[in-house]
Amino acid sequence: MVKLGNTRILGHRGARNEALENTLSAFQHAHGLHARGLAGVEFDVQLTADNHLIVFHDETLQRLCGVQSRVDQLSLAEIERHLQSGHQIITLDKLAQKLSDSSQSWLPEHEVSSQGFVAPNYFLFKNLCFDSPLSKFTHIELEIKTHSRTPHSKLIQALIDYFVDTPLASLPIVLTTFDVQLLNQLRHNKFLATIPRGLLVRLPELLATASNTALQLGCVQLGIYHPLITQAIIQEAHRYNLLVSAWTVNDIEIAKQLAQWQVDVIITDIPTQML
């Protein structure tokens, strides 16, 4: 357990070491930790070939689904043919749909695939009712994954489709990315400019200018690879009214040190041990 002070704990990709990452069950697990003090979650989205946003980290399906295909080369229908350890890959709008109606049952994603497949050991929980698993959180970081092939105009349109006049718009979401071009486009888009943004930093050579870059892009937050963080870096960011989010911290002693330095957010795979 970490003495947090004002530092908030987020579950990485839901709670990566405690539930399968970026799945509905991961968010339900994280929701169960809210009463213990979990402030929120971090998760990833990326664009499919037919312009859907899926909640998924990797560029390919290899690690989680055993398929070498790239996400950006597959349609949503093609992606939904594959399961990750029995769980469906979910879209951001499916997550939004669940959030919009807390009376809906939170079923295991592997119950029925798009082809009607019923996984082994499936249990029907339709009579159970849970609160929406993100609705009580106070801080949610949504990382937008991009690469050299990303069509930014299509990505921006997808974000508009998913965020404007949807349940996601009411959540305390910060859109984070390493992609400076995307952050600049978000800043100037009339539909998305009001959604808070965060610049992610993982290279030490970018730290010296990170605060200035974030300010120029209208960001409210820096998300920094935790071994790079010093107390001086946190203090500098705070002078510019930038929050500092540390990722991904799985060492209790490091988390304690960061909390003493007054880091604003710690993202971890092991939120149960941190709380």
Side-chain angles (χ1 to χ4, degrees):
M1 182 176 179
V2 179
K3 291 184 179 179
L4 296 173
N6 293 323
T7 300
R8 291 173 283 185
I9 298 292
L10 303 189
H12 183 222
R13 305 182 200 171
R16 190 180 177 213
N17 282 12
E18 301 172 5
L20 186 63
E21 64 183 64
N22 286 331
T23 62
L24 292 178
S25 60
F27 298 125
Q28 183 60 44
H29 172 77
H31 172 69
L33 296 175
H34 175 264
R36 295 181 52 179
L38 188 68
V41 290
E42 181 271 357
F43 62 95
D44 313 276
V45 298
Q46 58 182 300
L47 195 66
T48 66
D50 53 348
N51 303 322
H52 291 273
L53 289 174
I54 61 169
V55 182
F56 200 76
H57 176 271
D58 297 0
E59 286 190 29
T60 77
L61 303 184
Q62 179 64 48
R63 178 174 63 93
L64 289 168
C65 304
V67 180
Q68 292 184 354
S69 302
R70 291 197 330 236
V71 168
D72 67 307
Q73 292 180 323
L74 298 174
S75 68
L76 177 60
E78 290 171 326
I79 289 170
E80 287 179 334
R81 296 189 187 120
H82 304 287
L83 299 178
Q84 42 181 349
S85 300
H87 297 253
Q88 284 185 326
I89 298 170
I90 60 173
T91 56
L92 189 57
D93 59 330
K94 181 174 182 179
L95 184 58
Q97 181 182 7
K98 293 291 186 180
L99 291 171
S100 68
D101 185 359
S102 62
S103 68
Q104 293 189 40
S105 301
W106 276 79
L107 306 180
E109 305 92 289
H110 56 288
E111 77 283 26
V112 181
S113 75
S114 58
Q115 286 72 42
F117 169 74
V118 180
N121 301 318
Y122 167 62
F123 296 93
L124 195 61
F125 292 116
K126 287 187 182 293
N127 292 326
L128 293 179
C129 177
F130 300 97
D131 292 332
S132 298
L134 300 186
S135 59
K136 293 184 179 180
F137 288 142
T138 58
H139 190 80
I140 299 169
E141 296 190 19
L142 192 162
E143 181 182 347
I144 305 169
K145 310 295 286 189
T146 65
H147 43 71
S148 60
R149 303 173 304 278
T150 299
H152 283 73
S153 60
K154 292 181 179 179
L155 177 56
I156 289 290
Q157 185 57 55
L159 289 167
I160 292 171
D161 293 340
Y162 279 92
F163 273 91
V164 175
D165 297 326
T166 75
L168 288 170
S170 64
L171 293 176
I173 288 177
V174 179
L175 299 178
T176 69
T177 183
F178 295 96
D179 190 332
V180 172
Q181 177 184 346
L182 176 60
L183 287 171
N184 189 52
Q185 291 182 5
L186 290 171
R187 181 190 183 193
H188 291 100
N189 186 278
K190 64 179 180 180
F191 298 108
L192 301 172
T194 58
I195 302 175
R197 298 176 298 281
L199 172 65
L200 298 178
V201 181
R202 63 181 158 210
L203 299 176
E205 57 266 30
L206 298 179
L207 274 179
T209 58
S211 292
N212 186 54
T213 301
L215 291 172
Q216 289 178 344
L217 294 168
C219 293
V220 302
Q221 176 178 302
L222 284 174
I224 305 174
Y225 180 43
H226 80 82
L228 302 180
I229 297 177
T230 64
Q231 188 172 19
I233 288 172
I234 295 171
Q235 290 173 343
E236 178 189 17
H238 286 175
R239 280 197 294 272
Y240 294 107
N241 294 318
L242 291 168
L243 300 177
V244 178
S245 178
W247 54 274
T248 302
V249 184
N250 293 329
D251 184 295
I252 300 296
E253 294 307 311
I254 292 175
K256 289 179 179 178
Q257 181 67 82
L258 289 168
Q260 289 176 3
W261 290 345
Q262 298 183 352
V263 74
D264 299 285
V265 175
I266 291 174
I267 299 173
T268 180
D269 294 324
I270 53 170
T272 300
Q273 296 179 48
M274 293 283 183
L275 299 171

